[in-house]
Amino acid sequence: MDLLRHLEYFVAVAEERHFGRAAATLGVTQPPVSRAIKALEKHLGLTLVERTPDGATITEHGAALLPRARLIVEDSRLLTSAAHSLTTSGTIRIGLIPQLDDSIAARVAAAVGASARVETATAVSLLDRLRAHELDVAVIDHPMVLDRLAAGPVIALPRRVCVPVAHRSARAARPRLTMLSDLAFATTPRIANPPAHDLMLDVFRRHALDPDVHVAATFRDLNTAVASGRSFGLVPTAGPALPGTAHLDLAAEDVALRVRIVRRDGEVGSLTHMIDRILLQASR
């Protein structure tokens, strides 16, 4: 039995309260998640998760074991990262969230050169790795709790609303966000950065839009969901509209991607300044 993998699946289901969403977050299909939970329950002799019409609920036993499961999963990830960092001494380690345009990542890597290792991960993961001294600097989405870390000013990167090419909003002379009420919002999972996720949903509600959420961990996932006709998403303005999709300029200031450069206090000032210049140029 792969206890660590089963615990990872259990934590994902507990976070998402839904087997399908947990599977999407993990990058697998739903059946392996269901089998892993059943195997874990058999191994422990306890019922951890109960299915409901709306998804899944955690039992009393599951809730009691969840904090320990989270620690085991996280400690395993930190052990792997620490071991990897031992083989890359002298390397400048930069973390970027997946919502950033690929061109920004490429410019950062080109500016730092061969000594750079640019990695992509969620804001929560990047902050954990900064605190563990496994990264030198990171760019995360705002807002986020930054306990014991220093952060630069918030920079707003412009985004467009990506919609299905046949959707009524793509054909409208004066499209509005409220026209997207029949579409789900394709975005990164909430656990990637809960404050930023909730803030964006609040933005939509202020525009009289309260969409369901479709988990899309990458831009490929987002564009696929949009092209299928079931979702809309937010994409960098520099990116082209892919087949089956259209880009709209809607509520530009509200939907901008707000990011900050985060580091351990007093460290890598020149690297921070270099990334700051790249982000400022992309914001114009």
Side-chain angles (χ1 to χ4, degrees):
M1 175 182 178
D2 188 345
L3 180 60
L4 180 60
R5 180 170 62 86
H6 290 8
L7 288 173
E8 182 182 9
Y9 285 13
F10 167 55
V11 170
V13 172
E15 295 284 356
E16 294 293 340
R17 294 293 196 272
H18 193 280
F19 279 86
R21 290 196 296 269
T25 300
L26 294 163
V28 300
T29 58
Q30 184 171 330
V33 177
S34 298
R35 289 195 297 268
I37 298 300
K38 290 180 180 178
L40 181 61
E41 290 177 328
K42 182 178 180 180
H43 177 74
L44 297 176
L46 298 169
T47 299
L48 306 176
V49 180
E50 292 182 347
R51 290 183 178 271
T52 68
D54 297 326
T57 60
I58 307 304
T59 67
E60 182 179 351
H61 289 151
L65 294 179
L66 181 58
R68 180 62 58 184
R70 283 196 180 105
L71 285 175
I72 294 172
V73 171
E74 182 62 16
D75 282 348
S76 173
R77 185 191 64 76
L78 291 175
L79 175 65
T80 302
S81 298
H84 185 57
S85 68
L86 293 175
T87 67
T88 57
S89 57
T91 299
I92 298 174
R93 299 158 301 179
I94 303 169
L96 305 176
I97 54 172
Q99 299 96 312
L100 287 174
D101 186 6
D102 287 347
S103 66
I104 293 177
R107 290 171 62 192
V108 169
V112 179
S115 62
R117 190 182 76 206
V118 180
E119 304 176 9
T120 300
T122 67
V124 169
S125 177
L126 293 177
L127 293 185
D128 285 344
R129 298 193 62 197
L130 272 171
R131 296 186 184 103
H133 292 248
E134 296 167 9
L135 289 176
D136 296 304
V137 66
V139 179
I140 67 166
D141 43 339
H142 173 78
M144 187 67 183
V145 177
L146 304 175
D147 183 37
R148 305 192 311 275
L149 295 172
V154 176
I155 299 174
L157 302 177
R159 291 193 290 191
R160 290 194 174 105
V161 179
C162 182
V163 300
V165 70
H167 192 260
R168 57 174 179 158
S169 61
R171 303 190 304 268
R174 299 180 62 182
R176 303 182 306 279
L177 282 175
T178 52
M179 292 181 175
L180 310 181
S181 58
D182 59 332
L183 300 175
F185 175 42
T187 186
T188 51
R190 184 177 184 274
I191 58 174
N193 184 341
H197 182 278
D198 293 347
L199 184 62
M200 185 52 60
L201 293 182
D202 287 342
V203 166
F204 291 142
R205 292 186 186 105
R206 290 200 301 271
H207 287 269
L209 178 65
D210 190 14
D212 292 333
V213 173
H214 172 83
V215 174
T218 67
F219 281 128
R220 176 181 294 178
D221 296 337
L222 185 155
N223 281 296
T224 299
V226 173
S228 71
R230 66 178 185 269
S231 301
F232 74 94
L234 301 175
V235 295
T237 57
L242 299 181
T245 71
H247 290 180
L248 306 177
D249 291 311
L250 295 175
E253 183 176 348
D254 287 342
V255 303
L257 175 63
R258 287 168 170 78
V259 299
R260 304 181 79 176
I261 302 172
V262 184
R263 55 186 172 81
R264 293 181 299 279
D265 195 20
E267 298 188 19
V268 292
S270 60
L271 177 60
T272 301
H273 179 75
M274 179 271 294
I275 298 175
D276 182 69
R277 296 303 96 189
I278 292 174
L279 292 174
L280 282 176
Q281 187 172 358
S283 70
R284 302 188 179 106

